């Protein structure tokens, strides 16, 4: 009988050691320690034994059950521990994980062009100034020799922040009285010319990069929000030749020796004479990059300068168009689509 008990004990311990999940252990637990288990069955036979044997065997069975239930507990806590660990590993989020090859961000194409323009003009001896994106009618138009009713205003599809100006634009002249204080999103960087003249003593050699806004429909060469870089030189005896020389030096420095530039007669209310600035690509085609000219005497006066004493030139180029040209991009809208496959090429 004692052999039977030992055999049942060995068998039970083997089963407990063999389970690999908590569910399996629950089944084995009731198998070896339950009523139908070998040890419990052995107990039922005790009644038939002699009193001394009954005591010894009964004790052996109790000890064996104690050993088995301890083995079950040890196994239970080991399996519980393993299962928690497995779940932690399975659910772990690796914040350092990189899918595919590692990538680093870089400045946007337009920011790169902006930075490079500043470098080139600083190399030519210019300083940098910036002005507000929300402007008054005075700085954006009036001071630039475009009084109200000037036809050139209609060339700038202006976004007004002042409702009275919106009404006035729609033709209600009674709303017009306050137009000089009306507020708008600047349509070009030229208003910064006036702010610089009002605050800096000539001689002035300044560039003014910035974001500008127009009610333009997006197409391959236009965006409603884009960037310009304004240039202003005010000194004694400045001529159109200084303007032409500066633009040609700039073209070579920014685009490289394969590009040339030309000035084409044009009209702007704030410069006289005025010209359009085009560059010629290596393939021989031309593209317009901006306007320029000799600062109009009325503009010098609006900036607080005496046109008899000072003269100067100004230019305003589209930065987005320059970025587009430098990288041979077909459509300006691609630069703003935020498609990482496009952007990471530059
Ligand atoms: C002007 O804005 C004048 N203020 C330029 C100027 C400054 C002339 C100083 C004389 C003296 P214009 O509207 O042509 O001019 O714009 C200048 C350049 O901005 C254009 O040649 C073009 O390169 C760029 N540009 C104009 N509209 C857009 C647009 N919607 N999207 C992208 N670039 C544009």
């Amino acid at each position: 009988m004692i052999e039977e008990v030992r055999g049942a004990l060995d068998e039970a311990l083997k089963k407990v050691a063999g389970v690999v999940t908590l569910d399996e252990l629950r089944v084995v637990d009731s198998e070896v320690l339950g009523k139908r288990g070998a040890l419990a069955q052995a107990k039922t036979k005790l009644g038939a034994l002699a009193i001394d044997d009954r005591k010894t065997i009964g004790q052996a069975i109790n000890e064996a059950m104690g050993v088995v239930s301890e083995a079950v507990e040890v196994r239970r806590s080991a399996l519980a521990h393993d299962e928690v660990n497995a779940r932690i590993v399975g659910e772990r989020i690796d914040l350092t994980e990189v899918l595919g090859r590692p990538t680093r961000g870089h400045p946007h194409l337009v920011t790169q062009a902006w930075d490079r323009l500043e470098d080139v003009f600083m190399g030519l001896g210019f300083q940098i100034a910036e002005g507000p994106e929300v402007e008054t009618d005075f700085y954006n138009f009036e001071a630039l020799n475009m009084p109200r009713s000037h036809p050139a205003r209609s060339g700038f599809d202006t976004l007004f922040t002042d409702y009275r100006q919106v009404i006035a634009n729609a033709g209600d002249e009674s709303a017009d009285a306050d137009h000089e204080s009306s507020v708008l999103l600047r349509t070009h960087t030229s208003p910064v010319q006036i702010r610089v003249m009002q605050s800096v003593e000539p001689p002035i050699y300044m560039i003014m990069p910035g974001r500008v806004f127009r009610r333009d429909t997006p197409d391959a060469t236009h965006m409603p929000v884009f960037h310009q870089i304004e240039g202003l030189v005010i000194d004694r005896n400045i001529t159109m030749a200084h303007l032409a020389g500066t633009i040609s030096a700039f073209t070579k420095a920014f685009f490289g020796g394969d590009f040339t530039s030309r000035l084409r007669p044009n009209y702007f209310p704030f410069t006289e004479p005025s010209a359009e600035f085009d560059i010629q690509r290596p393939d021989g085609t031309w593209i317009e990059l901006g306007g320029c000219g000799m600062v109009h005497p009325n503009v010098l006066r609006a900036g607080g300068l005496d046109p008899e004493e000072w003269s100067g030139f100004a230019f305003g180029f589209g930065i987005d168009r320059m970025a587009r040209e430098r990288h041979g991009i077909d459509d300006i809208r691609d630069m703003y689509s935020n498609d990482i496959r496009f952007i990471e090429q530059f």
Side-chain angles (χ1 to χ4, degrees):
M1 183 82 193
I2 199 83
E3 289 307 313
E4 197 182 316
V5 173
R6 273 204 202 112
L9 173 61
D10 285 352
E11 185 66 17
L13 291 178
K14 223 183 273 168
K15 276 189 174 166
V16 172
V19 301
V20 290
T21 66
L22 284 172
D23 284 342
E24 274 175 38
L25 184 64
R26 264 188 289 278
V27 175
V28 168
D29 184 2
S30 67
E31 247 176 58
V32 295
L33 292 174
K35 271 193 217 142
R36 292 208 220 143
L39 290 169
Q41 289 299 315
K43 250 187 196 170
T44 62
K45 297 177 191 162
L46 286 176
L49 298 178
I51 192 131
D52 282 353
D53 285 350
R54 197 188 296 167
K55 213 174 155 195
T56 331
I57 306 284
Q59 212 170 355
I61 292 174
N62 282 343
E63 276 172 19
M65 288 187 105
V67 169
V68 172
S69 78
E70 202 182 309
V72 166
E73 281 320 304
V74 169
R75 191 83 194 116
R76 194 192 310 280
S77 80
L79 287 175
H81 188 255
D82 286 356
E83 283 196 6
V84 168
N85 274 353
R87 204 167 59 231
I88 289 172
V89 170
E91 291 174 3
R92 197 181 72 178
I93 298 172
D94 182 358
L95 297 177
T96 64
E97 185 177 37
V98 176
L99 295 175
R101 74 191 160 78
T103 51
R104 274 181 74 186
H106 61 71
H108 187 268
L109 264 178
V110 170
T111 311
Q112 288 179 32
W114 179 319
D115 289 347
R116 196 175 153 80
L117 285 161
E118 290 190 349
D119 284 350
V120 167
F121 278 108
M122 278 168 77
L124 294 173
F126 283 71
Q127 291 180 305
I128 301 166
E130 285 186 31
E133 292 177 352
V134 178
E135 265 296 6
T136 59
D137 183 282
F138 174 78
Y139 284 101
N140 197 79
F141 290 122
E142 291 270 335
L144 291 166
N145 203 27
M146 283 183 279
R148 181 129 200 107
S149 81
H150 195 289
R153 282 186 177 221
S154 61
F156 298 101
D157 274 324
T158 309
L159 290 154
F160 296 95
T161 64
D162 180 340
Y163 75 96
R164 281 166 305 211
Q165 195 62 27
V166 177
I167 296 167
N169 241 40
D172 180 355
E173 290 300 315
S174 66
D176 198 23
D178 202 19
H179 73 266
E180 276 182 33
S181 63
S182 72
V183 180
L184 45 84
L185 298 181
R186 65 178 177 192
T187 57
H188 50 176
T189 42
S190 299
V192 195
Q193 284 187 37
I194 306 296
R195 293 184 177 275
V196 166
M197 283 187 246
Q198 286 177 340
S199 59
V200 179
E201 289 283 318
I204 296 168
Y205 290 80
M206 199 77 85
I207 52 158
M208 298 143 260
R211 185 159 53 165
V212 302
F213 310 82
R214 287 185 199 175
R215 258 180 335 157
D216 278 348
T217 306
D219 64 22
T221 53
H222 293 85
M223 287 295 287
V225 179
F226 60 103
H227 304 81
Q228 287 187 338
I229 183 163
E230 194 80 10
L232 179 68
V233 167
I234 305 282
D235 208 336
R236 292 192 166 89
N237 306 315
I238 293 290
T239 70
M240 196 85 181
H242 295 113
L243 168 61
T246 304
I247 282 184
S248 130
F250 153 77
T251 305
K252 299 272 183 239
F254 185 79
F255 291 100
D258 293 346
F259 284 75
T260 51
S261 59
R262 74 178 174 197
L263 295 180
R264 221 168 4 101
N266 195 18
Y267 170 77
F268 291 103
F270 28 94
T271 43
E272 178 61 34
S274 302
E276 204 76 72
F277 161 61
D278 301 331
I279 58 163
Q280 187 178 35
R281 305 176 176 114
D283 70 2
T285 55
W286 293 91
I287 169 111
E288 172 207 307
L289 286 190
C292 57
M294 303 306 292
V295 181
H296 195 287
N298 288 349
V299 175
L300 290 170
R301 276 188 214 101
L305 300 177
D306 178 1
E308 298 300 323
E309 185 180 0
W310 302 104
S311 59
F313 67 76
F315 56 79
F317 305 155
I319 299 182
D320 315 71
R321 289 219 190 143
M322 287 196 266
R324 173 178 177 264
E325 287 310 310
R326 241 174 78 77
H327 296 287
I329 295 163
D330 293 333
D331 195 317
I332 214 166
R333 288 168 294 189
D334 288 338
M335 299 198 292
Y336 295 100
S337 65
N338 283 343
D339 183 334
I340 193 74
R341 290 163 302 180
F342 175 81
I343 293 211
E344 70 182 0
Q345 296 174 67
F346 304 99

